[in-house]
Amino acid sequence: MEYDYDYIRSATSREAISQSGDYTMWRYRPFLPVEQDTALPPLAVGWTPLYSVPRLGEALGLSHLWIKDDGQNPTASLKDRASALAVAKAAEAGYDTVACSSTGNAASSLAGSAAAAGLKSYIFVPERAPMGKLTQLLIFGATVISVQGNYEQTFALSRDAIEKYGWYNRNAAINPYLMEGKKTVALEIAEQLGWQAPDYVALSVGDGCTIAGVWKGFRDLYAAGFISKLPRLISVQAEKTCPINRAVETGRPWEPMEENTLADSIAVGVPRNPDKAIAAIRESDGLTVEVSDQEILDAMALVGRTCGVFAEPAGAAGTAGLIKLCKMGKIPKDAAVVSIVTGNGLKDTANGMKAAEEPIRLPPDITLLEKALP
Ligand SMILES: *Cc1c(COP(=O)(O)O)cnc(C)c1O
């Protein structure tokens, strides 16, 4: 999507946006591809907190670290930003039914945004989608097709069905508006830092739509003259499912890999947005890093313990990668770093329990308690 930045500059300013009483992603409406009279979907998506996290920073040896907690969106992931825009565009175009396939969060966010706007939704998910995400879909009244296959096969079935039935298509990399919605996380980070880009932004990567959106957001702000430098992106993937990072690292075309990580939201072996993601990482002079499932679980526990933020595995994977790069001495200690928590841990408590310590179990007896306390 291309914008007329001179027009944006004439229509709004940093000051005007900062004074906006709209604490949702729609405060950036001049940067978004909707018509003046488009009805906006009702859920309050965006304007999630950017926390300064000194204790986590200390653990990593960083003096300026922030967590952007996008798990606080209405359906508890960053995907709400894309789905809100998709639903606005679907309604604008006169559709009454939307559809997508998803590893889980795009699905629950679309179902939620559609329900709030009064649209019907058809959702295709691989059968391994965690129970929390599946429950959200059903509660939001979506017609849910749980596909006995992997994400790639689920995507193919949804594509055929959408073509056959003529629903509005919210599939990643098919719908160009999704990235525009996702970019609002970058606009918020910049505004929340006083209209500045940080030096680094770390996040996890599956299809590649989110990282491409983050880059687009910073580039739009830069092109409009709202920020004066661009950040370097840190692309974090799972070590056994890292087709995008591998392509960046080897300089060769990306190749499919297996879906092999407990971080279901980034278990994407055949990414849908590889070109834009790879371009974003390269253009930003970005870094790539791969993490094991254990490193993801450790990061979940560390972020929870030091920040009070509960991330789902893919939501903590960005921080896991950052931790690894810090240990390798790749990030300057005084750099300004933002790590995006892309989804909330309550969606997947089974993996949360793997990351956590056991409780102290005992009968209701104060003497036993005294013995048991560390
Ligand atoms: C979708 C998702 C990602 C990755 O985004 P892509 O656009 O697929 O690269 C990361 N974390 C969470 C929680 C997600 O839902």
Side-chain angles (χ1 to χ4, degrees), residues 103 128 151 205-206 241 258-269:
T103 57
R128 74 169 146 68
Y151 174 50
V205 174
T241 309
E258 268 180 67
E259 297 175 11
N260 188 350
T261 169
L262 59 72
D264 63 290
S265 303
I266 55 167
V268 182

Side-chain angles (χ1 to χ4, degrees), residues 155 159 162 169-178 272-273:
F155 188 93
R159 185 190 50 215
I162 288 167
N169 191 343
R170 187 241 177 264
N171 273 338
I174 301 291
N175 188 322
Y177 297 123
L178 304 179
R272 296 292 151 193
N273 240 326

Side-chain angles (χ1 to χ4, degrees), residues 48-50 56 65-71 73 77-79 81 182-189 198 200-205 210-211 213-215 218 233-234 236 303 309 311-320 322 337-343:
T48 58
L50 182 75
L56 182 61
L65 177 62
W66 288 267
I67 290 278
K68 176 72 168 163
D69 184 11
D70 246 45
N73 276 303
S77 84
L78 189 148
K79 296 286 193 301
R81 299 176 184 276
K182 287 181 170 185
K183 83 179 180 191
T184 58
V185 73
L187 307 185
E188 284 174 22
I189 289 170
Y200 296 88
V201 178
L203 70 158
S204 64
V205 174
T210 309
I211 197 165
V214 166
W215 184 235
F218 285 114
L233 300 179
I234 298 175
V236 185
V303 169
V309 171
E312 68 163 269
T319 306
L322 179 63
V337 183
V338 172
S339 185
I340 305 177
V341 167
T342 46

